[in-house]
Amino acid sequence: MGLKQQQYINGEWTNAISGNTREIINPYNQEVIATVPEGDEEDAKAAIVAARETFDSGEWATTPATERGSIVRKIAELIERDREELARLESLDTGKTVEESRGDMDDIAGVFRYYAEIADKDGGELIDSPVPNSISRVVHEPVGVCGQITPWNYPLLQASWKLAPALATGNTLIMKPSEITPLTTIKVFELIEEAGVPAGVANLVLGSGNTVGAELSSNTNVDLISFTGGIVTGKKIMQAASVNVKKLALELGGKNPNIIFTDADFETAVDQALNGVFFHAGQICSAGTRLIVEESIHDEFVSALVERVKNFKLGSGFDEDTQMGPLISAEHLAKVEQYVETGRKEGATLAVGGSRPEDPELQKGFFYLPTIFTDCTTDMSIVQDEAFGPVITVEKFRTEEEAVKLANDSIYGLAGGVWTSDIVKAERCVAKMRMGTVWINEFNLYFPHAPWGGFKQSGIGRELGRLGMEEYTETKHIFQNLQPEPINWF
Ligand code: NAD
């Protein structure tokens, strides 16, 4: 592998201080594909010192925004140049199809391009002053040292949502990718170096959450934590980050409802209900795993889903006809199996799937059959808990009010969808749905200009769009009196 299998701290490629390493496993066949440093608290501390000193020197923060934008644009160009290599690396590491990974790489380059374009568009704002002969203005400045922690499902896409706005706004950062999928993030740090980001600005530490991640969250020299991952980890980070009242951006899980009305275009709704869940074997925070279907088409809709699901082609992400790859790890496969077992015990009806595939070719990989449960109700834990696997639960509704009530019955509020040809009805539903993103006659569409994030326990703050950049800035009000005079009160 032509990849540097190292960390990147203060402009140097390094091994872990302890000398420890971790093997990275291909989820398709359990072969070792790389051996990378297993950093810990000491590596995190070294990176934090580098990021702190670099930020405090002021050099990067005061680099003209146009220049920072050009460097971020250069990273986009390098990602486009190395698109195929990156896509194949992502598929090797995660098991997803190469075609899907190519799409990810295009999205990632788009994210860097978007933040490059808007890097120098925020010149601050003059605001009305109550004092004659004075200037009152608002400027945005970088927050400082940012800790960035990402999950394993969309390793580089999630990293890009954090790296691009942090760099564009003049912060320094320490990135910690998921310990099981670090490869494309390492590769992008090679590109960050090649693009000319100064030493100490962007640092990469590899290792686990309870060592490197916990150090980033609790170290008082880190000013901001941006985290994407599970709700339990998010709560731990929130607690740890209180030590110095860090700014926090949390992108947590989702259990996303997808409401199908009888008057929706049937074929399109079936097709997109499948797309909304089974990409990357359902390991998507915004997967539409809670289907809420109007009673009058429920049976027909479920039959159509089941027919399609039976013909899914599972296999290697490197085979052109593969539609769905494996789950990420043995541990995660066990969790999904347990979730399905719970569904059976709770009395849901298994319409299709519900086991590992029997195909001998797939036995070395962490495969699970696409699965659909019907007769689901909101009191079941399978309707409330995130499966993060290829499993759909289907609920029935009779009225519009009931559909919205079911959709909102969740601790999560990440995303949701509504399928109907009645646009007025769609708008009525959307106005009541408590989620950060709602799609009408669409599912799972992201783009760099639109903010992404959750209501309720799906998180705090937003990524992407202008708001995703504002997370990385502090707001300063500057007031200048051009004609100061004594007040003569005392
Ligand atoms: P996870 O919470 O187990 O791990 C995420 C990251 O946090 C990893 O890098 C891990 O090493 C680190 N971590 C673990 N414990 C930590 C600790 N105590 N302190 C600091 N860092 C720690 O999540 P995962 O299993 O990697 O990813 C799946 C989860 O991510 C799902 O819940 C999914 O919904 C969520 N997710 C959300 C979004 C979103 O945009 N909202 C996107 C992708 C994934």
Side-chain angles (χ1 to χ4, degrees), residues 148-154 158 161 176-181 207-217 225 227-234 236-237 240 250-254 283-286 328 332 335 386 388 412 414 446 452-454 458-459 463:
Q148 306 187 321
I149 303 174
T150 53
W152 47 257
N153 63 332
Y154 281 80
Q158 298 301 329
W161 294 7
K176 189 207 90 65
S178 166
E179 54 274 38
I180 43 183
T181 55
S208 76
N210 54 21
T211 56
V212 179
E215 183 63 37
L216 292 178
S217 313
I225 285 282
F227 167 75
T228 304
I231 209 164
V232 173
T233 317
K236 280 190 203 162
I237 288 177
L250 301 176
E251 298 288 338
L252 308 177
Q283 302 167 114
I284 310 179
C285 56
S286 55
I328 193 69
H332 190 56
K335 270 193 205 161
E386 195 181 31
F388 221 58
Y412 294 106
L414 188 58
Y446 304 69
W452 177 257
S458 284
E463 293 195 297

Side-chain angles (χ1 to χ4, degrees), residues 460-472:
I460 298 175
R462 291 293 178 270
E463 293 195 297
L464 297 179
R466 285 193 174 269
L467 286 175
M469 190 147 109
E470 283 173 20
E471 295 287 344
Y472 287 95

Side-chain angles (χ1 to χ4, degrees), residues 135 160 241 290 344 354 397 412 457 473:
I135 301 171
S160 73
R290 266 190 82 186
R344 283 198 176 97
F397 72 89
Y412 294 106
Q457 293 191 39
T473 63

Side-chain angles (χ1 to χ4, degrees), residues 67-120:
E67 218 173 291
R68 287 198 306 261
S70 299
I71 293 179
V72 173
R73 188 172 305 108
K74 179 77 185 163
I75 299 171
E77 287 163 7
L78 295 174
I79 289 167
E80 283 158 355
R81 182 194 70 189
D82 293 347
R83 173 183 187 253
E84 189 61 20
E85 183 187 348
L86 279 162
R88 296 182 87 78
L89 204 52
E90 195 78 304
S91 288
L92 202 60
D93 208 356
T94 62
K96 70 169 75 173
T97 68
V98 178
E99 200 48 37
E100 213 185 314
S101 294
R102 288 187 186 114
D104 287 357
M105 295 313 141
D106 295 341
D107 289 349
I108 290 160
V111 170
F112 279 96
R113 278 194 182 283
Y114 171 73
Y115 285 110
E117 291 315 315
I118 66 168
D120 61 0

Side-chain angles (χ1 to χ4, degrees), residues 186 255 278 290 299 429:
I186 299 177
K255 184 76 185 180
F278 292 116
R290 266 190 82 186
D299 294 355
C429 292

